[in-house]
Amino acid sequence: MDASYEAALGLHQIEGFLNQEANRREAHRRARDFAWELPGLTTDQRLVIEEAYAHKDVENARRVAQHIADRIGQVEAQYEARHRSFARNTAVAMGVVTLGLIGLCIAVILGTAAGSA
C-alpha cells in the first residue's frame, strides 16, 4: 500500500469514529432531555433511563447502517452480474459479426477469383 492510500484510510477511520461519537453524544442528549421531563423520578432512575434510551438509539443506528451496507452489497452483486452478462453477450455478438465478415470476405474473394477464371 502506498502512503496516500494509508492516509486516506486513516482519515476515513477517524471520520467514522468522530461521527459515531457525535451520534452517541446526541443520543445521550436526547435521552437526558427525555428523562428530565419525567416527573417523580430520582436522579439515579433518570440516569438509568438515559443510558437505556441512548443504548437503544445507538443500537438502532447500527442496525440501520448494517441494513444499508447489506443493501449496497446486494446492489453491487446485481450490477456485477448484469455487467458480466452484458460483456459475455457483447463478446458473442462481436464473434458472430467477425465470423460473418470473414465469411463475406471469403465469398467475395472466391467470387472474384471464380469470375476471372
Side-chain angles (χ1 to χ4, degrees), residues 56-70:
K56 281 293 183 188
D57 194 63
V58 169
E59 190 177 299
N60 287 338
R62 280 192 184 122
R63 213 175 8 258
V64 167
Q66 185 61 48
H67 174 72
I68 291 169
D70 293 344

Side-chain angles (χ1 to χ4, degrees), residues 17-66:
F17 173 77
L18 292 175
N19 190 27
Q20 183 180 14
E21 280 298 303
N23 288 337
R24 188 185 61 76
R25 286 184 182 167
E26 179 61 21
H28 272 282
R29 187 198 58 76
R30 286 193 311 268
R32 188 172 38 256
D33 292 348
F34 172 76
W36 288 107
E37 291 178 8
L38 298 174
L41 295 178
T42 66
T43 301
D44 288 341
Q45 290 170 328
R46 284 190 175 107
L47 290 174
V48 167
I49 290 171
E50 176 185 335
E51 190 59 39
Y53 181 95
H55 178 73
K56 281 293 183 188
D57 194 63
V58 169
E59 190 177 299
N60 287 338
R62 280 192 184 122
R63 213 175 8 258
V64 167
Q66 185 61 48

